[in-house]
Amino acid sequence: MPALDLAGHPARDRAPLHRLWLRELRATLALSGPLVLINLAQHGLILADTVMLGRLGAGPLAAATLAHGLYFILFIAGLGLTGTVAPLIAEARGRDGGETDAVRRTLRAGIWAATLVSVPMMALLWFSGPLLAAIGEPPALAEAAGAYMRVLQWAMWPALLFMALRGALAALERPGWALVASLAALPLNIALGLWLAFPAGRGLGMAGIGLATVVSAAFSLALLATVVLGDRRLHRYRLLHGVWRFDPALLRRVFRLGLPIAATGLAEAGLFEAAALGMGLFGASQLAAHAVAIQIAAFCFMVPNGVAQAATVRVGLAFGRRSAAGVRRAGLVALGLAFAFMTLCALTQFAIPAALTGLFLDLGEAANAAVLPVAVAFIGFAALFAVADGVQSVALGMLRGLQDTRVPMWIAIGGYWGLGVPLGAGLAWGAGYEGYGIWTGFCAGLFVVATLLVLRWRRLTAGAMPG
């Protein structure tokens, strides 16, 4: 551990200050680049499934959309627990110089956490059909969604185990193999989906696409586990050694840190899910325009999301070393990268909204004429919140590197559900602004959350090290 001065700051690094900043920038870019590509590859899996389901018809697509909504809400909750692997391992590496037992035990606890939550979540998803029918969905649609889910649900466990392994490799600053596994799964998922779902192959319909997703998730996990076992540079960690051993103390730490992360993710995901449901009440044109704007926003978000994951590791390493200057440097570099990229995205969306809409809709079709002006307006809103969205994501990653998750959870819940949803609903229905009101609520909630998270970061890093 480096020597600390009386204020709790580490002794000054020997290297010139500009070299320290350049070193941090290079390290963040090297780590975040593969993580961004992994995010894009996994987003590609969702997009590929959506396209194939659409080819089966509007009914299967609608039923699968209902099923995916339930699946991903629970998956995000599981991600909160597996998301603790990276900051805990990074902190252990910084503290102990890469002490192998702590790294292995942390991954083991993440694997146990993923397994323990997968069982009840998969049991709940088994009854998706009756659950959807109970909340008023059309019986035929609920039944089709339930049948699809009884196949898709089996992807939950391997997918969460993959995320735990990915987090460990990111914390070890070796994310390349997770990228290879994600890229390899994409063509496999498409090829299997086409063969299993359509009449030219097995003709299983929706179940075939669900089965392809399950096989792809298991393949990704198996490939990554094989690499972990075979990579000589990872041998000293023995990452999967004794994986069956139960470590209640560390598992409690994973749940204590991870449950607020899960709640934060659910608060944000619930905001967007509620907005989509509300938008449908204002007609097909506004719903279609909303879908276009959200897809553009989601694509841009993959970059700051990857930078946020890198920030968790880089801040966690400095936190483990008790280096206040290193913590601040890692956070500011990540925040600057996200701010710059999302500013570029915002300017692009402001400049060419019609061209961006044309990537998703045939603007020559008369049926889409009513969608274009609404989509242009919604893309303008998306441009307004782009920077705030990137900043809040990276700020969350920075704070997770400090293992600060409880206060950010309350900030997210308060900003999204205490402000964003009520304001959006009031403007949409009370003031008659419809979808425009919902997007105003989006922007307000994201701006408040981003601002409060950055202020939280500044407070924690202004003096002595937190924790």
Side-chain angles (χ1 to χ4, degrees), residues 174-189:
R174 298 288 309 282
W177 285 120
L179 173 59
V180 170
S182 297
L183 291 176
L186 182 56
L188 175 65
N189 181 71

Side-chain angles (χ1 to χ4, degrees), residues 89-236:
I89 289 180
E91 189 262 342
R93 287 184 64 213
R95 182 184 67 243
D96 302 322
E99 196 271 315
T100 56
D101 184 59
V103 172
R104 180 172 57 255
R105 288 176 60 232
T106 300
L107 174 59
R108 183 192 306 161
I111 290 172
W112 269 97
T115 302
L116 290 174
V117 299
S118 291
V119 173
M121 288 195 301
M122 291 168 64
L124 179 63
L125 291 175
W126 185 263
F127 297 100
S128 295
L131 286 172
L132 289 169
I135 64 174
E137 295 295 339
L141 205 59
E143 183 180 355
Y148 176 63
M149 183 66 85
R150 290 192 175 188
V151 179
L152 180 67
Q153 67 171 35
W154 298 104
M156 179 71 73
W157 186 47
L160 287 177
L161 292 181
F162 177 87
M163 298 304 290
L165 266 177
R166 189 188 89 163
L169 292 177
L172 296 172
E173 298 180 280
R174 298 288 309 282
W177 285 120
L179 173 59
V180 170
S182 297
L183 291 176
L186 182 56
L188 175 65
N189 181 71
I190 295 172
L192 275 178
L194 292 173
W195 179 62
L196 290 170
F198 294 93
R202 303 295 296 174
L204 299 178
M206 294 171 62
I209 293 174
L211 182 57
T213 302
V214 173
V215 172
S216 298
F219 170 78
S220 298
L221 174 63
L223 179 57
L224 199 56
T226 301
V227 167
V228 164
L229 292 171
D231 189 333
R232 292 184 179 180
R233 287 174 291 183
L234 295 172
H235 277 182
R236 72 186 185 95

Side-chain angles (χ1 to χ4, degrees), residues 282 422-434:
F282 300 123
L423 177 62
L427 291 173
W429 285 277
Y433 288 107
E434 300 188 342

Side-chain angles (χ1 to χ4, degrees), residues 114-369:
T115 302
L116 290 174
V117 299
S118 291
V119 173
M121 288 195 301
M122 291 168 64
L124 179 63
L125 291 175
W126 185 263
F127 297 100
S128 295
L131 286 172
L132 289 169
I135 64 174
E137 295 295 339
L141 205 59
E143 183 180 355
Y148 176 63
M149 183 66 85
R150 290 192 175 188
V151 179
L152 180 67
Q153 67 171 35
W154 298 104
M156 179 71 73
W157 186 47
L160 287 177
L161 292 181
F162 177 87
M163 298 304 290
L165 266 177
R166 189 188 89 163
L169 292 177
L172 296 172
E173 298 180 280
R174 298 288 309 282
W177 285 120
L179 173 59
V180 170
S182 297
L183 291 176
L186 182 56
L188 175 65
N189 181 71
I190 295 172
L192 275 178
L194 292 173
W195 179 62
L196 290 170
F198 294 93
R202 303 295 296 174
L204 299 178
M206 294 171 62
I209 293 174
L211 182 57
T213 302
V214 173
V215 172
S216 298
F219 170 78
S220 298
L221 174 63
L223 179 57
L224 199 56
T226 301
V227 167
V228 164
L229 292 171
D231 189 333
R232 292 184 179 180
R233 287 174 291 183
L234 295 172
H235 277 182
R236 72 186 185 95
Y237 296 106
R238 297 192 300 163
L239 288 173
L240 298 178
H241 178 73
V243 70
W244 57 87
R245 294 175 184 167
F246 190 69
D247 189 337
L250 196 49
L251 190 61
R252 281 195 297 271
R253 189 179 180 193
V254 165
F255 273 88
R256 188 168 58 250
L257 186 64
L259 288 176
I261 297 177
T264 302
L266 288 172
E268 185 174 6
L271 171 71
F272 286 92
E273 186 69 21
L277 293 173
M279 200 69 69
L281 300 177
F282 300 123
S285 294
Q286 291 199 32
L287 183 58
H290 176 78
V292 169
I294 284 293
Q295 283 296 321
I296 294 169
F299 181 82
C300 292
F301 182 74
M302 295 299 104
V303 173
N305 190 34
V307 174
Q309 293 159 5
T312 296
V313 173
R314 296 300 302 168
V315 169
L317 288 168
F319 180 55
R321 296 194 304 269
R322 311 306 293 170
S323 170
V327 163
R328 284 192 289 271
R329 194 159 45 240
L332 290 174
V333 165
L335 201 60
L337 288 172
F339 183 87
F341 178 81
M342 293 306 273
T343 298
L344 180 61
C345 287
L347 292 174
T348 302
Q349 290 172 54
F350 274 129
I352 53 169
L356 292 173
T357 304
L359 296 175
F360 297 87
L361 298 173
D362 184 356
L363 300 182
E365 288 285 339
N368 293 328

